PDB file of all heavy atoms in Angstrom:
ATOM      1  N   ARG A1213       0.869  -1.166  -0.015  1.00  0.00           N
ATOM      2  CA  ARG A1213       0.000   0.022  -0.005  1.00  0.00           C
ATOM      3  C   ARG A1213       0.904   1.300  -0.004  1.00  0.00           C
ATOM      4  O   ARG A1213       0.574   2.228  -0.690  1.00  0.00           O
ATOM      5  CB  ARG A1213      -0.983   0.048   1.254  1.00  0.00           C
ATOM      6  CG  ARG A1213      -1.873  -1.225   1.340  1.00  0.00           C
ATOM      7  CD  ARG A1213      -2.672  -1.150   2.521  1.00  0.00           C
ATOM      8  NE  ARG A1213      -3.456  -2.396   2.753  1.00  0.00           N
ATOM      9  CZ  ARG A1213      -4.209  -2.657   3.801  1.00  0.00           C
ATOM     10  NH1 ARG A1213      -4.372  -1.773   4.759  1.00  0.00           N
ATOM     11  NH2 ARG A1213      -4.835  -3.834   3.893  1.00  0.00           N
ATOM     12  N   ALA A1214       2.001   1.180   0.794  1.00  0.00           N
ATOM     13  CA  ALA A1214       2.819   2.371   0.907  1.00  0.00           C
ATOM     14  C   ALA A1214       3.483   2.694  -0.427  1.00  0.00           C
ATOM     15  O   ALA A1214       3.475   3.818  -0.997  1.00  0.00           O
ATOM     16  CB  ALA A1214       3.800   2.165   1.999  1.00  0.00           C
ATOM     17  N   THR A1215       4.200   1.664  -1.102  1.00  0.00           N
ATOM     18  CA  THR A1215       4.894   1.984  -2.289  1.00  0.00           C
ATOM     19  C   THR A1215       3.994   2.256  -3.444  1.00  0.00           C
ATOM     20  O   THR A1215       4.360   3.093  -4.331  1.00  0.00           O
ATOM     21  CB  THR A1215       5.788   0.767  -2.594  1.00  0.00           C
ATOM     22  OG1 THR A1215       5.022  -0.451  -2.641  1.00  0.00           O
ATOM     23  CG2 THR A1215       6.924   0.564  -1.615  1.00  0.00           C
ATOM     24  N   TYR A1216       2.754   1.727  -3.496  1.00  0.00           N
ATOM     25  CA  TYR A1216       1.793   2.159  -4.439  1.00  0.00           C
ATOM     26  C   TYR A1216       1.373   3.581  -4.270  1.00  0.00           C
ATOM     27  O   TYR A1216       1.226   4.288  -5.242  1.00  0.00           O
ATOM     28  CB  TYR A1216       0.594   1.215  -4.416  1.00  0.00           C
ATOM     29  CG  TYR A1216       0.669  -0.022  -5.261  1.00  0.00           C
ATOM     30  CD1 TYR A1216       1.747  -0.774  -5.400  1.00  0.00           C
ATOM     31  CD2 TYR A1216      -0.439  -0.386  -6.126  1.00  0.00           C
ATOM     32  CE1 TYR A1216       1.834  -1.934  -6.215  1.00  0.00           C
ATOM     33  CE2 TYR A1216      -0.385  -1.502  -6.927  1.00  0.00           C
ATOM     34  CZ  TYR A1216       0.696  -2.313  -6.966  1.00  0.00           C
ATOM     35  OH  TYR A1216       0.800  -3.352  -7.791  1.00  0.00           O
ATOM     36  N   LEU A1217       1.214   3.951  -3.015  1.00  0.00           N
ATOM     37  CA  LEU A1217       0.835   5.322  -2.672  1.00  0.00           C
ATOM     38  C   LEU A1217       1.897   6.270  -3.146  1.00  0.00           C
ATOM     39  O   LEU A1217       1.613   7.316  -3.846  1.00  0.00           O
ATOM     40  CB  LEU A1217       0.574   5.455  -1.199  1.00  0.00           C
ATOM     41  CG  LEU A1217       0.423   6.894  -0.673  1.00  0.00           C
ATOM     42  CD1 LEU A1217      -0.824   7.614  -1.250  1.00  0.00           C
ATOM     43  CD2 LEU A1217       0.380   6.894   0.874  1.00  0.00           C
ATOM     44  N   TYR A1218       3.160   5.975  -2.797  1.00  0.00           N
ATOM     45  CA  TYR A1218       4.280   6.852  -3.108  1.00  0.00           C
ATOM     46  C   TYR A1218       4.410   6.956  -4.618  1.00  0.00           C
ATOM     47  O   TYR A1218       4.782   7.993  -5.130  1.00  0.00           O
ATOM     48  CB  TYR A1218       5.513   6.409  -2.477  1.00  0.00           C
ATOM     49  CG  TYR A1218       5.425   6.135  -0.964  1.00  0.00           C
ATOM     50  CD1 TYR A1218       6.204   5.207  -0.272  1.00  0.00           C
ATOM     51  CD2 TYR A1218       4.557   6.871  -0.216  1.00  0.00           C
ATOM     52  CE1 TYR A1218       6.064   4.964   1.026  1.00  0.00           C
ATOM     53  CE2 TYR A1218       4.473   6.722   1.195  1.00  0.00           C
ATOM     54  CZ  TYR A1218       5.151   5.719   1.785  1.00  0.00           C
ATOM     55  OH  TYR A1218       5.125   5.482   3.162  1.00  0.00           O
ATOM     56  N   ALA A1219       4.238   5.824  -5.354  1.00  0.00           N
ATOM     57  CA  ALA A1219       4.343   5.884  -6.813  1.00  0.00           C
ATOM     58  C   ALA A1219       3.264   6.733  -7.441  1.00  0.00           C
ATOM     59  O   ALA A1219       3.494   7.525  -8.316  1.00  0.00           O
ATOM     60  CB  ALA A1219       4.297   4.429  -7.370  1.00  0.00           C
ATOM     61  N   GLY A1220       2.065   6.603  -6.831  1.00  0.00           N
ATOM     62  CA  GLY A1220       0.949   7.420  -7.388  1.00  0.00           C
ATOM     63  C   GLY A1220       1.111   8.894  -7.067  1.00  0.00           C
ATOM     64  O   GLY A1220       0.843   9.751  -7.900  1.00  0.00           O
ATOM     65  N   ILE A1221       1.648   9.260  -5.844  1.00  0.00           N
ATOM     66  CA  ILE A1221       1.882  10.623  -5.572  1.00  0.00           C
ATOM     67  C   ILE A1221       2.992  11.238  -6.401  1.00  0.00           C
ATOM     68  O   ILE A1221       2.891  12.384  -6.903  1.00  0.00           O
ATOM     69  CB  ILE A1221       2.269  10.798  -4.048  1.00  0.00           C
ATOM     70  CG1 ILE A1221       1.129  10.302  -3.221  1.00  0.00           C
ATOM     71  CG2 ILE A1221       2.595  12.194  -3.751  1.00  0.00           C
ATOM     72  CD1 ILE A1221      -0.110  11.166  -3.072  1.00  0.00           C
ATOM     73  N   ALA A1222       4.075  10.432  -6.681  1.00  0.00           N
ATOM     74  CA  ALA A1222       5.118  10.900  -7.622  1.00  0.00           C
ATOM     75  C   ALA A1222       4.612  11.114  -8.980  1.00  0.00           C
ATOM     76  O   ALA A1222       5.011  12.107  -9.616  1.00  0.00           O
ATOM     77  CB  ALA A1222       6.264   9.793  -7.666  1.00  0.00           C
ATOM     78  N   ASP A1223       3.682  10.268  -9.445  1.00  0.00           N
ATOM     79  CA  ASP A1223       3.040  10.482 -10.715  1.00  0.00           C
ATOM     80  C   ASP A1223       2.234  11.736 -10.750  1.00  0.00           C
ATOM     81  O   ASP A1223       2.276  12.518 -11.802  1.00  0.00           O
ATOM     82  CB  ASP A1223       2.100   9.289 -11.027  1.00  0.00           C
ATOM     83  CG  ASP A1223       2.372   8.736 -12.361  1.00  0.00           C
ATOM     84  OD1 ASP A1223       3.187   9.132 -13.139  1.00  0.00           O
ATOM     85  OD2 ASP A1223       1.636   7.720 -12.696  1.00  0.00           O
ATOM     86  N   LEU A1224       1.498  12.016  -9.647  1.00  0.00           N
ATOM     87  CA  LEU A1224       0.752  13.288  -9.606  1.00  0.00           C
ATOM     88  C   LEU A1224       1.608  14.479  -9.600  1.00  0.00           C
ATOM     89  O   LEU A1224       1.304  15.457 -10.226  1.00  0.00           O
ATOM     90  CB  LEU A1224      -0.221  13.241  -8.379  1.00  0.00           C
ATOM     91  CG  LEU A1224      -1.156  14.377  -8.214  1.00  0.00           C
ATOM     92  CD1 LEU A1224      -2.070  14.560  -9.366  1.00  0.00           C
ATOM     93  CD2 LEU A1224      -1.949  14.252  -6.884  1.00  0.00           C
ATOM     94  N   TYR A1225       2.702  14.421  -8.805  1.00  0.00           N
ATOM     95  CA  TYR A1225       3.616  15.501  -8.711  1.00  0.00           C
ATOM     96  C   TYR A1225       4.169  15.940 -10.113  1.00  0.00           C
ATOM     97  O   TYR A1225       4.311  17.055 -10.488  1.00  0.00           O
ATOM     98  CB  TYR A1225       4.839  15.255  -7.823  1.00  0.00           C
ATOM     99  CG  TYR A1225       5.971  16.274  -7.974  1.00  0.00           C
ATOM    100  CD1 TYR A1225       5.872  17.465  -7.396  1.00  0.00           C
ATOM    101  CD2 TYR A1225       7.099  15.918  -8.783  1.00  0.00           C
ATOM    102  CE1 TYR A1225       6.893  18.391  -7.584  1.00  0.00           C
ATOM    103  CE2 TYR A1225       8.078  16.903  -8.971  1.00  0.00           C
ATOM    104  CZ  TYR A1225       7.955  18.118  -8.424  1.00  0.00           C
ATOM    105  OH  TYR A1225       8.940  19.035  -8.602  1.00  0.00           O
ATOM    106  N   ALA A1226       4.414  14.867 -10.947  1.00  0.00           N
ATOM    107  CA  ALA A1226       4.906  15.090 -12.305  1.00  0.00           C
ATOM    108  C   ALA A1226       3.971  15.893 -13.167  1.00  0.00           C
ATOM    109  O   ALA A1226       4.466  16.511 -14.125  1.00  0.00           O
ATOM    110  CB  ALA A1226       5.275  13.783 -13.016  1.00  0.00           C
ATOM    111  N   GLU A1227       2.714  15.925 -12.805  1.00  0.00           N
ATOM    112  CA  GLU A1227       1.718  16.636 -13.571  1.00  0.00           C
ATOM    113  C   GLU A1227       1.365  17.983 -12.981  1.00  0.00           C
ATOM    114  O   GLU A1227       0.984  18.937 -13.690  1.00  0.00           O
ATOM    115  CB  GLU A1227       0.459  15.849 -13.761  1.00  0.00           C
ATOM    116  CG  GLU A1227       0.677  14.513 -14.514  1.00  0.00           C
ATOM    117  CD  GLU A1227       1.051  14.781 -16.010  1.00  0.00           C
ATOM    118  OE1 GLU A1227       0.805  15.862 -16.520  1.00  0.00           O
ATOM    119  OE2 GLU A1227       1.639  13.816 -16.531  1.00  0.00           O
ATOM    120  N   THR A1228       1.532  18.080 -11.627  1.00  0.00           N
ATOM    121  CA  THR A1228       1.142  19.316 -10.938  1.00  0.00           C
ATOM    122  C   THR A1228       2.285  20.166 -10.411  1.00  0.00           C
ATOM    123  O   THR A1228       2.118  21.396 -10.259  1.00  0.00           O
ATOM    124  CB  THR A1228       0.194  18.991  -9.730  1.00  0.00           C
ATOM    125  OG1 THR A1228       1.020  18.203  -8.802  1.00  0.00           O
ATOM    126  CG2 THR A1228      -0.943  18.069 -10.165  1.00  0.00           C
ATOM    127  N   GLY A1229       3.424  19.612 -10.199  1.00  0.00           N
ATOM    128  CA  GLY A1229       4.502  20.355  -9.547  1.00  0.00           C
ATOM    129  C   GLY A1229       4.291  20.795  -8.176  1.00  0.00           C
ATOM    130  O   GLY A1229       4.867  21.839  -7.748  1.00  0.00           O
ATOM    131  N   ASP A1230       3.327  20.075  -7.462  1.00  0.00           N
ATOM    132  CA  ASP A1230       3.107  20.449  -6.052  1.00  0.00           C
ATOM    133  C   ASP A1230       4.261  20.138  -5.169  1.00  0.00           C
ATOM    134  O   ASP A1230       4.541  18.994  -4.806  1.00  0.00           O
ATOM    135  CB  ASP A1230       1.825  19.694  -5.624  1.00  0.00           C
ATOM    136  CG  ASP A1230       1.305  20.147  -4.207  1.00  0.00           C
ATOM    137  OD1 ASP A1230       2.105  20.657  -3.459  1.00  0.00           O
ATOM    138  OD2 ASP A1230       0.103  19.879  -3.995  1.00  0.00           O
ATOM    139  N   ASP A1231       4.952  21.232  -4.682  1.00  0.00           N
ATOM    140  CA  ASP A1231       6.164  21.068  -3.976  1.00  0.00           C
ATOM    141  C   ASP A1231       5.918  20.411  -2.617  1.00  0.00           C
ATOM    142  O   ASP A1231       6.863  19.699  -2.135  1.00  0.00           O
ATOM    143  CB  ASP A1231       6.888  22.415  -3.720  1.00  0.00           C
ATOM    144  CG  ASP A1231       7.494  22.943  -5.015  1.00  0.00           C
ATOM    145  OD1 ASP A1231       7.790  22.139  -5.923  1.00  0.00           O
ATOM    146  OD2 ASP A1231       7.691  24.134  -5.130  1.00  0.00           O
ATOM    147  N   ALA A1232       4.755  20.488  -2.063  1.00  0.00           N
ATOM    148  CA  ALA A1232       4.460  19.926  -0.763  1.00  0.00           C
ATOM    149  C   ALA A1232       4.495  18.371  -0.963  1.00  0.00           C
ATOM    150  O   ALA A1232       4.889  17.628  -0.080  1.00  0.00           O
ATOM    151  CB  ALA A1232       3.115  20.391  -0.198  1.00  0.00           C
ATOM    152  N   LEU A1233       3.968  17.917  -2.018  1.00  0.00           N
ATOM    153  CA  LEU A1233       3.948  16.430  -2.330  1.00  0.00           C
ATOM    154  C   LEU A1233       5.376  16.001  -2.492  1.00  0.00           C
ATOM    155  O   LEU A1233       5.735  14.973  -1.888  1.00  0.00           O
ATOM    156  CB  LEU A1233       3.169  16.143  -3.589  1.00  0.00           C
ATOM    157  CG  LEU A1233       1.651  16.441  -3.568  1.00  0.00           C
ATOM    158  CD1 LEU A1233       1.058  16.097  -4.892  1.00  0.00           C
ATOM    159  CD2 LEU A1233       0.998  15.628  -2.434  1.00  0.00           C
ATOM    160  N   TRP A1234       6.179  16.652  -3.238  1.00  0.00           N
ATOM    161  CA  TRP A1234       7.578  16.254  -3.449  1.00  0.00           C
ATOM    162  C   TRP A1234       8.374  16.298  -2.213  1.00  0.00           C
ATOM    163  O   TRP A1234       9.244  15.410  -1.969  1.00  0.00           O
ATOM    164  CB  TRP A1234       8.273  17.119  -4.566  1.00  0.00           C
ATOM    165  CG  TRP A1234       9.544  16.575  -4.923  1.00  0.00           C
ATOM    166  CD1 TRP A1234      10.856  17.054  -4.497  1.00  0.00           C
ATOM    167  CD2 TRP A1234       9.835  15.488  -5.733  1.00  0.00           C
ATOM    168  NE1 TRP A1234      11.818  16.327  -5.102  1.00  0.00           N
ATOM    169  CE2 TRP A1234      11.223  15.372  -5.827  1.00  0.00           C
ATOM    170  CE3 TRP A1234       9.086  14.581  -6.463  1.00  0.00           C
ATOM    171  CZ2 TRP A1234      11.925  14.333  -6.591  1.00  0.00           C
ATOM    172  CZ3 TRP A1234       9.665  13.578  -7.265  1.00  0.00           C
ATOM    173  CH2 TRP A1234      11.104  13.494  -7.267  1.00  0.00           C
ATOM    174  N   SER A1235       8.110  17.295  -1.386  1.00  0.00           N
ATOM    175  CA  SER A1235       8.899  17.333  -0.089  1.00  0.00           C
ATOM    176  C   SER A1235       8.742  16.101   0.791  1.00  0.00           C
ATOM    177  O   SER A1235       9.642  15.508   1.312  1.00  0.00           O
ATOM    178  CB  SER A1235       8.421  18.643   0.675  1.00  0.00           C
ATOM    179  OG  SER A1235       9.088  18.699   1.885  1.00  0.00           O
ATOM    180  N   SER A1236       7.453  15.685   0.900  1.00  0.00           N
ATOM    181  CA  SER A1236       7.179  14.483   1.662  1.00  0.00           C
ATOM    182  C   SER A1236       7.772  13.232   0.907  1.00  0.00           C
ATOM    183  O   SER A1236       8.290  12.343   1.571  1.00  0.00           O
ATOM    184  CB  SER A1236       5.694  14.240   1.878  1.00  0.00           C
ATOM    185  OG  SER A1236       5.238  15.160   2.898  1.00  0.00           O
ATOM    186  N   LEU A1237       7.559  13.186  -0.349  1.00  0.00           N
ATOM    187  CA  LEU A1237       8.124  11.985  -1.134  1.00  0.00           C
ATOM    188  C   LEU A1237       9.628  11.906  -0.910  1.00  0.00           C
ATOM    189  O   LEU A1237      10.150  10.778  -0.651  1.00  0.00           O
ATOM    190  CB  LEU A1237       7.896  12.125  -2.584  1.00  0.00           C
ATOM    191  CG  LEU A1237       6.447  11.844  -3.111  1.00  0.00           C
ATOM    192  CD1 LEU A1237       6.331  12.253  -4.518  1.00  0.00           C
ATOM    193  CD2 LEU A1237       6.149  10.374  -2.930  1.00  0.00           C
ATOM    194  N   GLU A1238      10.369  12.965  -0.954  1.00  0.00           N
ATOM    195  CA  GLU A1238      11.793  12.884  -0.859  1.00  0.00           C
ATOM    196  C   GLU A1238      12.219  12.503   0.624  1.00  0.00           C
ATOM    197  O   GLU A1238      13.113  11.681   0.822  1.00  0.00           O
ATOM    198  CB  GLU A1238      12.417  14.324  -1.142  1.00  0.00           C
ATOM    199  CG  GLU A1238      13.839  14.368  -1.078  1.00  0.00           C
ATOM    200  CD  GLU A1238      14.668  13.493  -2.024  1.00  0.00           C
ATOM    201  OE1 GLU A1238      14.070  13.036  -3.086  1.00  0.00           O
ATOM    202  OE2 GLU A1238      15.830  13.056  -1.673  1.00  0.00           O
ATOM    203  N   LYS A1239      11.515  13.002   1.622  1.00  0.00           N
ATOM    204  CA  LYS A1239      11.836  12.595   2.917  1.00  0.00           C
ATOM    205  C   LYS A1239      11.475  11.108   3.116  1.00  0.00           C
ATOM    206  O   LYS A1239      12.345  10.454   3.801  1.00  0.00           O
ATOM    207  CB  LYS A1239      10.985  13.462   3.956  1.00  0.00           C
ATOM    208  CG  LYS A1239      11.415  14.862   3.986  1.00  0.00           C
ATOM    209  CD  LYS A1239      10.406  15.780   4.813  1.00  0.00           C
ATOM    210  CE  LYS A1239      10.800  17.245   4.730  1.00  0.00           C
ATOM    211  NZ  LYS A1239       9.811  18.099   5.444  1.00  0.00           N
ATOM    212  N   ILE A1240      10.407  10.659   2.710  1.00  0.00           N
ATOM    213  CA  ILE A1240      10.084   9.205   2.810  1.00  0.00           C
ATOM    214  C   ILE A1240      11.078   8.392   2.040  1.00  0.00           C
ATOM    215  O   ILE A1240      11.514   7.355   2.518  1.00  0.00           O
ATOM    216  CB  ILE A1240       8.653   9.026   2.325  1.00  0.00           C
ATOM    217  CG1 ILE A1240       7.630   9.658   3.237  1.00  0.00           C
ATOM    218  CG2 ILE A1240       8.338   7.490   2.297  1.00  0.00           C
ATOM    219  CD1 ILE A1240       6.267   9.709   2.684  1.00  0.00           C
ATOM    220  N   TRP A1241      11.492   8.781   0.874  1.00  0.00           N
ATOM    221  CA  TRP A1241      12.530   8.059   0.105  1.00  0.00           C
ATOM    222  C   TRP A1241      13.802   7.926   0.782  1.00  0.00           C
ATOM    223  O   TRP A1241      14.372   6.847   0.922  1.00  0.00           O
ATOM    224  CB  TRP A1241      12.701   8.768  -1.257  1.00  0.00           C
ATOM    225  CG  TRP A1241      13.573   7.949  -2.227  1.00  0.00           C
ATOM    226  CD1 TRP A1241      13.165   7.019  -3.081  1.00  0.00           C
ATOM    227  CD2 TRP A1241      15.011   7.977  -2.370  1.00  0.00           C
ATOM    228  NE1 TRP A1241      14.219   6.466  -3.794  1.00  0.00           N
ATOM    229  CE2 TRP A1241      15.396   7.112  -3.292  1.00  0.00           C
ATOM    230  CE3 TRP A1241      16.004   8.763  -1.690  1.00  0.00           C
ATOM    231  CZ2 TRP A1241      16.708   6.856  -3.702  1.00  0.00           C
ATOM    232  CZ3 TRP A1241      17.319   8.550  -2.063  1.00  0.00           C
ATOM    233  CH2 TRP A1241      17.620   7.686  -3.033  1.00  0.00           C
ATOM    234  N   GLN A1242      14.253   9.014   1.436  1.00  0.00           N
ATOM    235  CA  GLN A1242      15.506   8.996   2.222  1.00  0.00           C
ATOM    236  C   GLN A1242      15.333   8.037   3.411  1.00  0.00           C
ATOM    237  O   GLN A1242      16.247   7.269   3.659  1.00  0.00           O
ATOM    238  CB  GLN A1242      15.816  10.394   2.723  1.00  0.00           C
ATOM    239  CG  GLN A1242      16.209  11.397   1.631  1.00  0.00           C
ATOM    240  CD  GLN A1242      17.563  11.157   1.057  1.00  0.00           C
ATOM    241  OE1 GLN A1242      18.371  10.434   1.579  1.00  0.00           O
ATOM    242  NE2 GLN A1242      17.759  11.689  -0.086  1.00  0.00           N
ATOM    243  N   ASN A1243      14.176   8.012   4.003  1.00  0.00           N
ATOM    244  CA  ASN A1243      13.923   7.134   5.132  1.00  0.00           C
ATOM    245  C   ASN A1243      13.992   5.682   4.689  1.00  0.00           C
ATOM    246  O   ASN A1243      14.582   4.849   5.384  1.00  0.00           O
ATOM    247  CB  ASN A1243      12.576   7.504   5.764  1.00  0.00           C
ATOM    248  CG  ASN A1243      12.148   6.500   6.897  1.00  0.00           C
ATOM    249  OD1 ASN A1243      11.213   5.813   6.773  1.00  0.00           O
ATOM    250  ND2 ASN A1243      12.936   6.530   8.000  1.00  0.00           N
ATOM    251  N   VAL A1244      13.333   5.371   3.598  1.00  0.00           N
ATOM    252  CA  VAL A1244      13.352   3.982   3.103  1.00  0.00           C
ATOM    253  C   VAL A1244      14.764   3.555   2.718  1.00  0.00           C
ATOM    254  O   VAL A1244      15.264   2.548   3.206  1.00  0.00           O
ATOM    255  CB  VAL A1244      12.397   3.824   1.932  1.00  0.00           C
ATOM    256  CG1 VAL A1244      12.600   2.493   1.251  1.00  0.00           C
ATOM    257  CG2 VAL A1244      10.902   3.945   2.360  1.00  0.00           C
ATOM    258  N   VAL A1245      15.411   4.327   1.878  1.00  0.00           N
ATOM    259  CA  VAL A1245      16.753   3.883   1.388  1.00  0.00           C
ATOM    260  C   VAL A1245      17.752   3.873   2.411  1.00  0.00           C
ATOM    261  O   VAL A1245      18.638   2.868   2.416  1.00  0.00           O
ATOM    262  CB  VAL A1245      17.129   4.813   0.190  1.00  0.00           C
ATOM    263  CG1 VAL A1245      18.529   4.523  -0.240  1.00  0.00           C
ATOM    264  CG2 VAL A1245      16.126   4.631  -0.996  1.00  0.00           C
ATOM    265  N   HIS A1246      17.727   4.727   3.425  1.00  0.00           N
ATOM    266  CA  HIS A1246      18.816   4.795   4.374  1.00  0.00           C
ATOM    267  C   HIS A1246      18.484   4.113   5.702  1.00  0.00           C
ATOM    268  O   HIS A1246      19.397   3.967   6.542  1.00  0.00           O
ATOM    269  CB  HIS A1246      19.189   6.170   4.598  1.00  0.00           C
ATOM    270  CG  HIS A1246      19.724   6.875   3.336  1.00  0.00           C
ATOM    271  ND1 HIS A1246      20.828   6.403   2.648  1.00  0.00           N
ATOM    272  CD2 HIS A1246      19.279   7.916   2.601  1.00  0.00           C
ATOM    273  CE1 HIS A1246      21.103   7.153   1.587  1.00  0.00           C
ATOM    274  NE2 HIS A1246      20.115   8.111   1.570  1.00  0.00           N
ATOM    275  N   GLN A1247      17.272   3.731   5.921  1.00  0.00           N
ATOM    276  CA  GLN A1247      16.915   3.189   7.239  1.00  0.00           C
ATOM    277  C   GLN A1247      15.958   1.941   7.180  1.00  0.00           C
ATOM    278  O   GLN A1247      15.848   1.272   8.221  1.00  0.00           O
ATOM    279  CB  GLN A1247      16.235   4.273   8.144  1.00  0.00           C
ATOM    280  CG  GLN A1247      17.246   5.444   8.452  1.00  0.00           C
ATOM    281  CD  GLN A1247      16.622   6.626   9.102  1.00  0.00           C
ATOM    282  OE1 GLN A1247      15.643   7.196   8.601  1.00  0.00           O
ATOM    283  NE2 GLN A1247      17.154   6.990  10.294  1.00  0.00           N
ATOM    284  N   LYS A1248      15.251   1.672   6.060  1.00  0.00           N
ATOM    285  CA  LYS A1248      14.250   0.648   6.135  1.00  0.00           C
ATOM    286  C   LYS A1248      14.325  -0.322   4.936  1.00  0.00           C
ATOM    287  O   LYS A1248      13.503  -1.242   4.858  1.00  0.00           O
ATOM    288  CB  LYS A1248      12.870   1.320   6.172  1.00  0.00           C
ATOM    289  CG  LYS A1248      12.585   2.091   7.508  1.00  0.00           C
ATOM    290  CD  LYS A1248      11.201   2.459   7.644  1.00  0.00           C
ATOM    291  CE  LYS A1248      10.961   3.151   8.995  1.00  0.00           C
ATOM    292  NZ  LYS A1248       9.547   3.572   9.208  1.00  0.00           N
ATOM    293  N   MET A1249      15.166  -0.100   4.027  1.00  0.00           N
ATOM    294  CA  MET A1249      15.214  -1.060   2.867  1.00  0.00           C
ATOM    295  C   MET A1249      16.280  -2.117   2.977  1.00  0.00           C
ATOM    296  O   MET A1249      17.350  -1.798   3.502  1.00  0.00           O
ATOM    297  CB  MET A1249      15.494  -0.215   1.552  1.00  0.00           C
ATOM    298  CG  MET A1249      15.380  -0.967   0.293  1.00  0.00           C
ATOM    299  SD  MET A1249      15.665   0.070  -1.192  1.00  0.00           S
ATOM    300  CE  MET A1249      17.473   0.366  -1.062  1.00  0.00           C
ATOM    301  N   TYR A1250      15.933  -3.236   2.568  1.00  0.00           N
ATOM    302  CA  TYR A1250      16.990  -4.391   2.605  1.00  0.00           C
ATOM    303  C   TYR A1250      17.981  -4.179   1.557  1.00  0.00           C
ATOM    304  O   TYR A1250      17.816  -3.499   0.553  1.00  0.00           O
ATOM    305  CB  TYR A1250      16.226  -5.727   2.410  1.00  0.00           C
ATOM    306  CG  TYR A1250      15.570  -6.145   3.642  1.00  0.00           C
ATOM    307  CD1 TYR A1250      14.233  -5.803   3.962  1.00  0.00           C
ATOM    308  CD2 TYR A1250      16.170  -7.012   4.552  1.00  0.00           C
ATOM    309  CE1 TYR A1250      13.609  -6.234   5.219  1.00  0.00           C
ATOM    310  CE2 TYR A1250      15.569  -7.499   5.736  1.00  0.00           C
ATOM    311  CZ  TYR A1250      14.296  -7.061   6.031  1.00  0.00           C
ATOM    312  OH  TYR A1250      13.696  -7.562   7.202  1.00  0.00           O
ATOM    313  N   ILE A1251      19.170  -4.826   1.710  1.00  0.00           N
ATOM    314  CA  ILE A1251      20.203  -4.778   0.745  1.00  0.00           C
ATOM    315  C   ILE A1251      19.766  -5.287  -0.590  1.00  0.00           C
ATOM    316  O   ILE A1251      20.440  -4.984  -1.609  1.00  0.00           O
ATOM    317  CB  ILE A1251      21.440  -5.534   1.315  1.00  0.00           C
ATOM    318  CG1 ILE A1251      22.720  -5.261   0.498  1.00  0.00           C
ATOM    319  CG2 ILE A1251      21.144  -7.059   1.318  1.00  0.00           C
ATOM    320  CD1 ILE A1251      23.987  -5.838   1.085  1.00  0.00           C
ATOM    321  N   THR A1252      18.761  -6.101  -0.670  1.00  0.00           N
ATOM    322  CA  THR A1252      18.203  -6.625  -1.898  1.00  0.00           C
ATOM    323  C   THR A1252      17.219  -5.622  -2.603  1.00  0.00           C
ATOM    324  O   THR A1252      16.685  -5.931  -3.680  1.00  0.00           O
ATOM    325  CB  THR A1252      17.487  -7.902  -1.618  1.00  0.00           C
ATOM    326  OG1 THR A1252      16.374  -7.670  -0.740  1.00  0.00           O
ATOM    327  CG2 THR A1252      18.358  -8.998  -1.096  1.00  0.00           C
ATOM    328  N   GLY A1253      16.941  -4.444  -2.026  1.00  0.00           N
ATOM    329  CA  GLY A1253      15.894  -3.593  -2.500  1.00  0.00           C
ATOM    330  C   GLY A1253      14.518  -4.006  -1.922  1.00  0.00           C
ATOM    331  O   GLY A1253      13.483  -3.371  -2.409  1.00  0.00           O
ATOM    332  N   GLY A1254      14.448  -4.997  -1.091  1.00  0.00           N
ATOM    333  CA  GLY A1254      13.146  -5.400  -0.559  1.00  0.00           C
ATOM    334  C   GLY A1254      12.583  -4.501   0.367  1.00  0.00           C
ATOM    335  O   GLY A1254      13.289  -3.703   1.093  1.00  0.00           O
ATOM    336  N   CYS A1255      11.255  -4.408   0.497  1.00  0.00           N
ATOM    337  CA  CYS A1255      10.522  -3.463   1.370  1.00  0.00           C
ATOM    338  C   CYS A1255       9.465  -4.258   2.252  1.00  0.00           C
ATOM    339  O   CYS A1255       8.740  -5.066   1.695  1.00  0.00           O
ATOM    340  CB  CYS A1255       9.829  -2.418   0.509  1.00  0.00           C
ATOM    341  SG  CYS A1255      10.894  -1.237  -0.259  1.00  0.00           S
TER     342      CYS A1255
END
């Protein structure tokens, strides 16, 4: 549910340029990649 949500929000940002959406996406991405993602890319 989370990764589908983030993918959909990123898709919406690409059409709207809503910086508030991108700000959260970037923070969540940093959190996943640096603190919650497996070495295999698993989630």
